[in-house]
Amino acid sequence: MTGTGSSAHLAHAAARGNGRTGFPRDETPDTRGIRGIRETQVLGEEVGEAEEVQETGEVRGTREGRPAVLPALAAALARELVRRVEEDHRAMREAHRRPTRAARHRLVKCRADNAEALRTIVGRHGWPAADLVGAPASTAALMILLHARDLDFQLTCRDLIAQAAADGRCPPPHHAFIADHCAVELGQPQFYGTRVDPATFHPYPVRQPRTLDERRRDVGLAPLDEQMRTLRLSG
């Protein structure tokens, strides 16, 4: 898969969606997707491995036609997703401080491992939406997905996220981000203008620009001009 870029800032989506969710601009050379999520309350919690509770059983009944995950396992999955994003942040900061080949390799490996872990979670439990793991961990899952290098996996998850957003199980901006990401990777115009070309610091091409802000408003995103001002201030 080819293409580079950075996803836009979601700082204002929280006021219109589920919880405060921010995506600063990616400043790491040769990386795609978003740089990370802002500090959230869950980041202060003790984190652990999801496998620690596997022996308690994975399912009990159904959850809207899908296997229902036991609360202990859901909490462990949430901690694991957040822990992995924290590792991504540490590896990225190190790559910024010391832009060596070794530091770059650690960041790439971290993101590859995170993507593989997310693939396992999705395969077992479906997309980790907010109703399963909570909004912060679901946002962490989205960040991991946007840093994955498997477009087929991203497309599969895009459709899962679309359904979760339609069902009210995750914030609509999550679907906007992954839909735009996949469109750009496929060489197509994006829908919501969330992905920005780091070379020009302008959004990649958008379909039907005249109605862009209307579409953004429908999914809880701020107008594009406001998004770009926020990005410039945070850059």
Side-chain angles (χ1 to χ4, degrees), residues 18 127-136 138 164 168-171 174:
N18 285 337
W127 178 253
D131 68 325
L132 173 63
V133 297
S138 187
R169 296 184 289 108
C170 76
H174 285 200

Side-chain angles (χ1 to χ4, degrees), residues 45-88:
E45 298 176 355
E46 181 180 0
V47 295
E49 298 288 344
E51 290 78 5
E52 292 177 0
V53 295
Q54 289 291 329
E55 295 182 358
T56 66
E58 292 191 6
V59 298
R60 179 179 60 195
T62 60
R63 183 168 57 94
E64 297 182 5
R66 305 181 309 281
V69 179
L70 289 173
L73 178 56
L77 291 173
R79 292 194 300 269
E80 179 70 0
L81 288 166
V82 171
R83 181 186 71 80
R84 287 183 174 277
V85 167
E86 288 181 308
E87 288 185 352
D88 179 286

Side-chain angles (χ1 to χ4, degrees), residues 158-213:
R158 178 200 61 184
D159 296 340
L160 295 175
I161 294 170
Q163 187 60 56
D167 294 342
R169 296 184 289 108
C170 76
H174 285 200
H175 177 246
F177 273 85
I178 187 60
D180 278 357
H181 178 89
C182 290
V184 172
E185 292 300 311
L186 291 168
Q188 301 170 355
Q190 53 182 329
F191 297 88
Y192 303 100
T194 64
R195 190 158 171 197
V196 176
D197 186 341
T200 65
F201 206 60
H202 291 289
Y204 285 98
V206 176
R207 65 186 66 205
Q208 300 179 346
R210 290 185 178 181
T211 57
L212 172 61
D213 279 344

Side-chain angles (χ1 to χ4, degrees), residues 21-228:
T21 305
F23 292 96
R25 179 164 57 91
D26 194 341
E27 299 173 351
T28 304
D30 193 30
T31 60
R32 299 175 301 105
I34 55 178
R35 182 166 67 89
I37 58 174
R38 291 194 185 280
E39 293 299 323
T40 56
Q41 293 180 353
V42 75
L43 295 184
E45 298 176 355
E46 181 180 0
V47 295
E49 298 288 344
E51 290 78 5
E52 292 177 0
V53 295
Q54 289 291 329
E55 295 182 358
T56 66
E58 292 191 6
V59 298
R60 179 179 60 195
T62 60
R63 183 168 57 94
E64 297 182 5
R66 305 181 309 281
V69 179
L70 289 173
L73 178 56
L77 291 173
R79 292 194 300 269
E80 179 70 0
L81 288 166
V82 171
R83 181 186 71 80
R84 287 183 174 277
V85 167
E86 288 181 308
E87 288 185 352
D88 179 286
H89 287 173
R90 286 192 292 269
M92 183 172 53
R93 287 193 296 267
E94 179 63 22
H96 276 296
R97 285 194 299 264
R98 299 179 181 179
T100 63
R101 179 177 298 181
R104 176 62 189 164
H105 175 75
R106 283 192 293 272
L107 178 60
V108 170
K109 184 177 187 305
C110 174
R111 291 179 172 175
D113 291 346
N114 287 353
E116 189 59 33
L118 180 62
R119 188 192 305 275
T120 298
I121 291 172
V122 171
R124 293 179 180 176
H125 310 295
W127 178 253
D131 68 325
L132 173 63
V133 297
S138 187
T139 297
L142 177 64
M143 179 194 165
I144 292 171
L145 179 65
L146 289 170
H147 282 152
R149 293 185 174 273
D150 185 341
L151 180 56
D152 288 338
F153 177 54
Q154 291 174 325
L155 290 167
T156 296
C157 291
R158 178 200 61 184
D159 296 340
L160 295 175
I161 294 170
Q163 187 60 56
D167 294 342
R169 296 184 289 108
C170 76
H174 285 200
H175 177 246
F177 273 85
I178 187 60
D180 278 357
H181 178 89
C182 290
V184 172
E185 292 300 311
L186 291 168
Q188 301 170 355
Q190 53 182 329
F191 297 88
Y192 303 100
T194 64
R195 190 158 171 197
V196 176
D197 186 341
T200 65
F201 206 60
H202 291 289
Y204 285 98
V206 176
R207 65 186 66 205
Q208 300 179 346
R210 290 185 178 181
T211 57
L212 172 61
D213 279 344
E214 181 179 343
R215 292 195 301 276
R216 290 174 63 88
R217 182 175 62 250
D218 288 344
V219 296
L221 291 172
L224 181 62
D225 286 347
E226 185 176 336
Q227 166 190 288
M228 296 308 298

